[in-house]
Amino acid sequence: MFSNAVKLFSINGFDIKVDPSWLIIASLITWSLSQQYFPEVWPDASTTTYWTMGLVGMIGFFASLLLHELGHSAVARNLGVPIKSITLFIFGGMAELGTEPTSARDEFWIALAGPVTSLALALGFWTLAQAAWLTASSAAFVEVASYLALINLVLALFNMMPAFPMDGGRVLRAYLWHRNGDVLAATQIAARSGTFFAYVLMGLGVLALFQGLYVTGMWQLMIGGFVLIAARSSYTSKLAQTVFEHKTVGALMARDPVTVGPDMTLSAFVNQIMLRHGVSFVPVLENNILLGHMDQSVLAGIDREHWANTRVGDVFVGLEEDTMVAPDMPVLELLDVISKTGHRKFMVVADHQLRGVITLADLTLFLGRTEMAHNNR
């Protein structure tokens, strides 16, 4: 998800990364705190003081986010769920789980750990602010500590909204999972709650825009859009994991696929193979020996006027490991290959013989049919 994230350091085995988008929100928070928030709560300080307070407040805020995610990560590791990394980005922080929790109980405690950490931080900063005020310490210190107490409280409460994939949505999923024993159905309901929350948030954003609150409105629209995409993708990911968990490529591949010989011209190939059969990825065989494949990218590199005089055998793509998979490969492993390589179409090969063809479109179609059948139960 965060392909451009840069690793900063590790804490107790957890890799801490920062996505470039974090720089945007870090700058906005620093500016907002130094130019608006702190001048309102503590007037008459110098510009340098406000900028210093804004910078410290921003660092404290993201340190709090990091501790929030470390709370999730520590509990996950303790329950045997691996954590790949923790990444700070424009919408906050995210702990990337290596695998999904295997029980509702684990899901519940992992989800709850973050908000509990934020509540503890809110209490800690509030206590620190009160102690500093009672001892007549620096007013700047008191205001920054008070801000961090408030922001951690807001962070805890916001994350406990029952909107998947936020922490509250995960707690909701854990409850539904425990009650019904169906993690997919629980994920679907929790994702719907996340979708509803996202639309509400975006509606509030539109309302704020009409009231002239442009920054607030745009921010609500952006967060709502992120939650909407995350909710839908989380459900789709869980659906795929459930549907394909015990499936192999051989079970879902298209058997006896359309093939082409090397002597056919490109014009004939387009008209008789691609258009007639509605395919864009075609294995090339000669005497039942697999030579390679043809696809639209090959045709795109050849001028149309040369198609009649150019044979498939002159331009086809030879055998490549990236486009061949074994029939016993798990479908989940194939999805990982698709994600890493970007290839979407594969020849299924065993004992040097073509067994079939499988594409991302095939998997998507099967997934859609399974989801429809699940919803109609």
Side-chain angles (χ1 to χ4, degrees):
M1 181 177 181
F2 302 105
S3 58
N4 296 320
V6 178
K7 178 182 175 181
L8 296 182
F9 52 86
S10 296
I11 298 178
N12 196 26
F14 298 119
D15 289 341
I16 310 302
K17 299 180 179 180
V18 170
D19 187 78
S21 63
W22 173 83
L23 295 173
I24 300 173
I25 188 59
S27 301
L28 287 175
I29 289 177
T30 303
W31 177 85
S32 177
L33 290 176
S34 61
Q35 300 301 305
Q36 297 180 350
Y37 181 81
F38 288 129
E40 289 181 5
V41 299
W42 186 42
D44 302 325
S46 67
T47 301
T48 301
T49 300
Y50 287 141
W51 276 107
T52 302
M53 293 171 68
L55 183 61
V56 172
M58 181 273 293
I59 293 173
F61 171 61
F62 279 102
S64 298
L65 277 177
L66 180 57
L67 289 171
H68 177 105
E69 298 302 329
L70 283 171
H72 289 304
S73 303
V75 172
R77 174 185 286 177
N78 188 57
L79 294 172
V81 179
I83 298 293
K84 292 183 177 181
S85 62
I86 298 172
T87 304
L88 298 177
F89 68 117
I90 190 170
F91 295 116
M94 180 176 292
E96 186 179 1
L97 301 181
T99 60
E100 285 287 318
T102 56
S103 71
R105 174 184 173 276
D106 290 354
E107 170 89 332
F108 175 81
W109 289 116
I110 293 172
L112 201 60
V116 169
T117 301
S118 294
L119 286 175
L121 288 170
L123 179 61
F125 281 118
W126 180 82
T127 302
L128 192 61
Q130 296 307 305
W133 179 74
L134 290 172
T135 57
S137 298
S138 166
F141 180 85
V142 173
E143 295 301 339
V144 171
S146 298
Y147 161 76
L148 292 175
L150 175 62
I151 202 65
N152 274 284
L153 178 61
V154 171
L155 182 63
L157 296 177
F158 181 78
N159 272 280
M160 281 308 296
M161 293 292 294
F164 196 81
M166 296 194 305
D167 298 335
R170 290 189 175 275
V171 170
L172 174 62
R173 181 173 78 161
Y175 165 73
L176 296 170
W177 183 4
H178 174 73
R179 189 183 70 177
N180 300 325
D182 188 339
V183 63
L184 181 58
T187 304
Q188 185 179 41
I189 295 172
R192 284 174 179 171
S193 73
T195 300
F196 175 77
F197 175 76
Y199 281 128
V200 170
L201 196 58
M202 288 190 288
L204 293 174
V206 172
L207 184 61
L209 290 177
F210 280 115
Q211 294 176 338
L213 304 174
Y214 299 114
V215 175
T216 300
M218 288 302 300
W219 194 237
Q220 288 174 331
L221 284 170
M222 290 172 63
I223 294 177
F226 172 77
V227 172
L228 179 64
I229 294 171
R232 289 178 173 175
S233 63
S234 295
Y235 171 65
T236 302
S237 176
K238 189 61 185 179
L239 177 65
Q241 182 182 2
T242 303
V243 170
F244 296 136
E245 185 173 11
H246 301 295
K247 293 286 193 303
T248 62
V249 166
L252 299 181
M253 69 182 182
R255 302 175 185 275
D256 300 321
V258 176
T259 62
V260 64
D263 293 329
M264 180 176 282
T265 65
L266 295 188
S267 294
F269 169 68
V270 170
N271 294 317
Q272 299 176 24
I273 302 294
M274 295 184 70
L275 296 179
R276 178 178 297 177
H277 297 281
V279 294
S280 59
F281 180 85
V282 183
V284 179
L285 274 72
E286 185 175 30
N287 298 323
N288 290 324
I289 298 175
L290 181 63
L291 303 178
H293 75 273
M294 283 288 294
D295 60 26
Q296 289 178 324
S297 64
V298 176
L299 294 173
I302 302 171
D303 292 336
R304 189 180 295 268
E305 57 264 26
H306 297 310
W307 285 4
N309 300 318
T310 304
R311 299 182 313 120
V312 167
D314 297 328
V315 296
F316 74 92
V317 179
L319 297 178
E320 297 178 342
E321 291 294 330
D322 290 345
T323 58
M324 296 189 296
V325 296
D328 59 352
M329 172 184 279
V331 173
L332 290 177
E333 184 177 331
L334 176 62
L335 287 174
D336 189 51
V337 171
I338 292 173
S339 175
K340 291 179 179 178
T341 65
H343 293 298
R344 298 186 173 191
K345 302 173 183 180
F346 302 86
M347 295 177 291
V348 184
V349 181
D351 300 325
H352 306 290
Q353 295 294 314
L354 179 69
R355 304 298 185 188
V357 168
I358 192 165
T359 68
L360 179 60
D362 296 331
L363 299 180
T364 302
L365 182 62
F366 182 82
L367 194 64
R369 289 173 176 171
T370 305
E371 181 182 15
M372 185 178 298
H374 182 270
N375 292 337
N376 291 333
R377 287 190 307 180

